[in-house]
Amino acid sequence: MAQLNDAFLQELKFKTDIEDVISTYVSLKKRGSTSIGLCPFHNEKTPSFTVYNDTQSFYCFGCGAGGDAVTFIKKIENLDYLDAVKLLAQRAGIQMPQEGFDDSLSKKRRRILEVNRESARFFYSNLISDNGKIGRDYFLNRGLSMHTIKRFGLGYAPDSWDALLKHLKSKGFGIGDMLDAGVIKISKNNRYYDTFKNRVMTPIIDVRGNVIAFGGRVLDDSKPKYVNTAETLVYKKTNELFALNLAKDSGQDSLILCEGYMDVIAMHQAGFTNAVAGCGTALTNEQVRLISRYAKEVVLAYDNDEAGQKALNKAITLFRQTDVKVKIPAFSGGKDPDEIIRKYGRDKFKGMLDGASNEIEFALLDLKKKFNLNTTQGKIDFLNGAIKILCNVSPIEQDLYLSRLSSELNVEKSSIKIQLEDYSRRNKKRRENKIYKSIIDDSMRQNQRISYENNVPVRQYKAEERIIGLLLNYPDCFKLCSGVDADKLSSQFIKKVYIEIISRLEKQLDIDIISFGPILTDTEMSRLSRIMANNSESKNAKKEFADCIDIINYEFSLKNSKTSANLSDDEYRKMFESK
Ligand SMILES: [Zn+2]
């Protein structure tokens, strides 16, 4: 783990305002000395993400993410500790210390990115060379222009087991770096070989312009059709969106989400420069959050087949947990955007995008397919279903759809409305009960889990957390610390934080959350910020502190009084068996 010197961290602290840092990613609303906003780390519609100005920390009451400015940057930019510190230092205009810390992980990441960049160059220059004609023809046959090929940095991996390997060697890269980047592999009899062979290549580039991975496709029908870079230090496929680096600069506040790289490339060429795609996985929560950072609206341009429609429904469900508006175009005449654009051209495709339905319209259309609206029973069943869809939308929208349904089905608007209101009333009650129950379950589960994990009573656990919370807010309590011995603390995490606090106080150093960054993991940082968020004030800190110490001492003595004198026969026997 990186060890940065304290003076540097303190300077970083003085020149960094956590609210400032976070507000470039999250829109925050002031609320006294804290600010709140929608959490960027989980999907939510009501804000539970809180930034504490006093302690320069953040904590989300929804998902438990928390920490200081460094933790925030680490998480949101997907960086390691040192790179996150560097980014903040740059922002604050402070020089990083030259020595005294271990940055091997950052160096490794950088080398992987260099290997990737050089590999992308190699694939591209192959594609435009004589040897790459077969790859070039593949793309040209699919309707791509040379301009598009260059813009996406597409390439060709030659039909050879070691062409890239030799090339990278000649550029001075080591085998270890190539393995780390995933561009070569090692065989059973210990020979190194290129991961991509005789394939057309699509580099995956992150929003900072780094080549982080590759997707390789065969030129014929052989298997496997696609080979993609496995996960590496710089690439986690569930967190990335293909072409977001280009789409984020499209100047629009909507993104078009497609299924495949080729769809995205075809769409960009046709002028839809806000198209992106997942990287060969079903849509994930992380990708949904990424989209919500860049767009207010997403057009779900999924394939026109069964698998595509299934994926579409999953996507709609995921986006429902965010405030991103969803639009669903109805594609006809081709199985995916790439094919439709090639067959009918840009304008027809644009017409389909413009005519996209919103989530409600889509759900109603989908429902309609299931009933025969020429029969009375069909109409009744459809209306009952429609009411369930409409009960969650705003009154204005309800009114609009009711008018539409009324004229479409030739049923009085007022009677549909009465039924809708009746359903909404019953549904509200049901929902409230459900929410109430889940809150109670959650808090019970959390309490039980905590005490179970550590095998200590809840009150001891709470006392230990309270001690940390009090020390951070009222360092005066330190004078009482002779009263508690760190070894009596049941949790390793608390012990570690406690010892650090005491040693800092003894050296008369500040204790703030940024000083814990170098010694705690992300999960521990979250826990620490939760403790800070829940333990901010006390009417009589010293008295409370002393009480907590009593509890800890008492529980400790209780546990250790289990000596041979008061052990049960069984326990007594076990003591010998285990030795
Ligand atoms: Zn959260």
Side-chain angles (χ1 to χ4, degrees):
M1 164 101 35
Q3 285 294 345
L4 288 162
N5 68 56
D6 220 74
F8 169 78
L9 282 180
Q10 289 303 316
E11 193 188 355
L12 185 65
K13 186 193 96 183
F14 282 120
K15 295 203 172 146
T16 302
D17 178 42
I18 194 167
E19 217 180 85
D20 230 44
V21 171
I22 292 182
S23 64
T24 55
Y25 300 90
V26 180
S27 129
L28 293 171
K29 278 204 185 87
K30 265 267 177 225
R31 216 194 235 176
S33 69
T34 64
S35 304
I36 57 164
L38 291 173
C39 178
F41 305 120
H42 85 280
N43 298 328
E44 62 175 7
K45 282 179 170 175
T46 44
S48 46
F49 180 83
T50 314
V51 181
Y52 299 87
N53 226 337
D54 296 349
T55 53
Q56 289 287 300
S57 65
F58 71 95
Y59 183 69
C60 171
F61 290 89
C63 68
D68 63 347
V70 183
T71 326
F72 182 83
I73 291 294
K74 259 174 87 172
K75 280 182 86 105
I76 201 145
E77 292 283 0
N78 193 19
L79 295 173
D80 63 35
Y81 176 76
L82 210 65
D83 280 338
V85 168
K86 269 183 199 157
L87 200 144
L88 285 173
Q90 239 167 38
R91 214 188 122 101
I94 320 172
Q95 192 80 45
M96 284 291 285
Q98 294 297 313
E99 273 163 40
F101 57 84
D102 167 21
D103 64 347
S104 53
L105 207 63
S106 311
K107 278 196 184 133
K108 211 173 188 179
R109 287 170 66 108
R110 225 166 301 134
R111 276 201 304 272
I112 292 177
L113 293 176
E114 281 164 18
V115 168
N116 284 346
R117 180 166 297 265
E118 191 51 46
S119 303
R121 272 197 204 120
F122 174 75
F123 294 141
Y124 176 74
S125 61
N126 258 297
L127 184 82
I128 56 171
S129 75
D130 290 346
N131 291 335
K133 187 174 182 312
I134 180 172
R136 206 160 62 233
D137 285 348
Y138 173 85
F139 285 129
L140 295 175
N141 283 334
R142 291 202 67 165
L144 300 189
S145 67
M146 282 316 284
H147 176 257
T148 300
I149 288 173
K150 192 170 181 196
R151 185 170 155 79
F152 280 89
L154 304 179
Y156 172 64
D159 196 1
S160 146
W161 288 116
D162 59 3
L164 178 65
L165 185 108
K166 278 182 182 153
H167 174 78
L168 290 173
K169 241 185 197 164
S170 77
K171 293 278 170 184
F173 290 101
I175 292 288
D177 297 337
M178 298 180 214
L179 283 171
D180 287 342
V183 295
I184 64 165
K185 287 181 174 166
I186 184 161
S187 71
K188 276 188 204 123
N189 39 17
N190 289 325
R191 293 198 114 128
Y192 300 110
Y193 63 95
D194 289 1
T195 306
F196 306 100
K197 175 176 179 285
N198 194 24
R199 285 173 185 271
V200 284
M201 302 297 297
T202 308
I204 297 163
I205 299 171
D206 71 8
V207 288
R208 282 182 292 271
N210 298 313
V211 180
I212 51 174
F214 294 94
R217 189 198 190 285
V218 285
L219 299 154
D220 49 24
D221 288 329
S222 56
K223 298 272 155 66
K225 194 169 169 189
Y226 297 99
V227 168
N228 298 315
T229 306
E231 304 221 325
T232 67
L233 257 186
V234 303
Y235 178 58
K236 204 166 172 233
K237 62 183 175 186
T238 52
N239 290 2
E240 302 293 341
L241 286 169
F242 173 65
L244 185 61
N245 59 315
L246 301 171
K248 75 174 179 13
D249 298 327
S250 69
Q252 300 178 56
D253 55 10
S254 77
L255 288 172
I256 305 174
L257 179 61
C258 323
E259 280 190 74
Y261 303 151
M262 273 315 281
D263 293 322
V264 171
I265 297 171
M267 283 171 94
H268 277 251
Q269 180 167 290
F272 307 102
T273 54
N274 56 336
V276 297
C279 296
T281 57
L283 189 67
T284 64
N285 270 315
E286 286 77 17
Q287 289 163 337
V288 166
R289 275 197 289 285
L290 199 54
I291 288 172
S292 71
R293 265 171 69 189
Y294 289 95
K296 294 196 174 91
E297 181 188 276
V298 63
V299 181
L300 302 173
Y302 279 67
D303 290 2
N304 200 5
D305 57 11
E306 214 186 302
Q309 295 304 299
K310 229 173 145 180
L312 172 66
N313 281 318
K314 194 193 164 202
I316 294 174
T317 316
L318 287 180
F319 278 106
R320 204 171 284 148
Q321 297 156 41
T322 69
D323 55 359
V324 177
K325 283 206 179 66
V326 163
K327 285 195 120 187
I328 305 118
F331 291 139
S332 55
K335 70 171 180 348
D336 56 34
D338 175 35
E339 191 183 327
I340 295 167
I341 292 172
R342 267 189 292 155
K343 262 168 119 175
Y344 305 102
R346 171 204 144 85
D347 292 343
K348 179 103 190 273
F349 184 74
K350 182 163 192 314
M352 290 182 191
L353 287 185
D354 291 344
S357 15
N358 65 29
E359 193 191 334
I360 304 295
E361 288 164 335
F362 177 76
L364 289 172
L365 275 171
D366 208 40
L367 184 69
K368 208 181 274 176
K369 287 186 205 145
K370 292 178 187 146
F371 302 104
N372 177 0
L373 299 186
N374 295 319
T375 66
T376 312
Q377 192 56 46
K379 278 189 194 178
I380 294 172
D381 291 342
F382 168 64
L383 273 175
N384 279 333
I387 277 167
K388 286 181 191 160
I389 295 169
L390 293 178
C391 80
N392 291 318
V393 307
S394 75
I396 296 174
E397 284 176 286
Q398 279 186 356
D399 195 66
L400 223 91
Y401 290 113
L402 288 182
S403 303
R404 253 192 237 176
L405 286 175
S406 153
S407 67
E408 240 178 87
L409 301 171
N410 207 8
V411 178
E412 277 296 326
K413 186 176 165 188
S414 56
S415 35
I416 313 179
K417 198 172 176 189
I418 290 172
Q419 203 144 344
L420 173 62
E421 281 164 355
D422 188 45
Y423 180 82
S424 300
R425 214 171 302 121
R426 273 179 290 140
N427 191 47
K428 195 174 167 222
K429 190 123 221 173
R430 235 188 339 254
R431 233 182 18 231
E432 278 170 359
N433 283 339
K434 215 169 132 192
I435 291 170
Y436 181 66
K437 199 174 166 300
S438 82
I439 290 173
I440 293 196
D441 283 356
D442 263 8
S443 74
M444 268 173 56
R445 216 174 300 132
Q446 202 168 6
N447 268 342
Q448 274 167 3
R449 202 188 57 215
I450 286 168
S451 62
Y452 182 77
E453 260 171 23
N454 295 282
N455 204 11
V456 293
V458 174
R459 71 179 208 129
Q460 180 183 359
Y461 189 85
K462 285 195 167 157
E464 292 185 0
E465 288 205 338
R466 187 71 180 143
I467 278 198
I468 300 296
L470 287 169
L471 278 173
L472 291 172
N473 285 294
Y474 306 93
D476 280 3
C477 299
F478 169 54
K479 287 164 198 147
L480 295 169
C481 271
S482 52
V484 71
D485 175 358
D487 283 334
K488 292 184 180 173
L489 299 168
S490 67
S491 139
Q492 285 306 315
F493 160 73
I494 299 276
K495 207 179 279 180
K496 186 152 81 170
V497 173
Y498 179 80
I499 291 172
E500 178 71 11
I501 292 178
I502 300 305
S503 94
R504 293 187 72 86
L505 286 173
E506 275 166 354
K507 289 181 219 148
Q508 303 199 348
L509 292 169
D510 277 354
I511 35 168
D512 32 46
I513 188 157
I514 200 165
S515 12
F516 294 93
I519 61 160
L520 298 183
T521 65
D522 282 1
T523 324
E524 290 173 333
M525 281 299 268
S526 296
R527 268 178 84 177
L528 185 60
S529 54
R530 177 176 58 78
I531 293 174
M532 289 169 83
N534 291 335
N535 289 279
S536 53
E537 268 169 54
S538 171
K539 287 201 175 97
N540 187 346
K542 283 187 186 170
K543 159 101 174 48
E544 230 191 295
F545 193 82
D547 289 347
C548 288
I549 289 179
D550 283 348
I551 292 174
I552 293 166
N553 282 331
Y554 175 76
E555 292 293 344
F556 185 79
S557 66
L558 209 62
K559 205 171 152 199
N560 286 276
S561 64
K562 290 222 166 196
T563 54
S564 53
N566 52 14
L567 283 177
S568 70
D569 285 356
D570 256 291
E571 285 172 316
Y572 192 68
R573 218 172 303 127
K574 271 190 192 134
M575 255 180 74
F576 291 96
E577 278 168 10
S578 61
K579 275 174 187 162

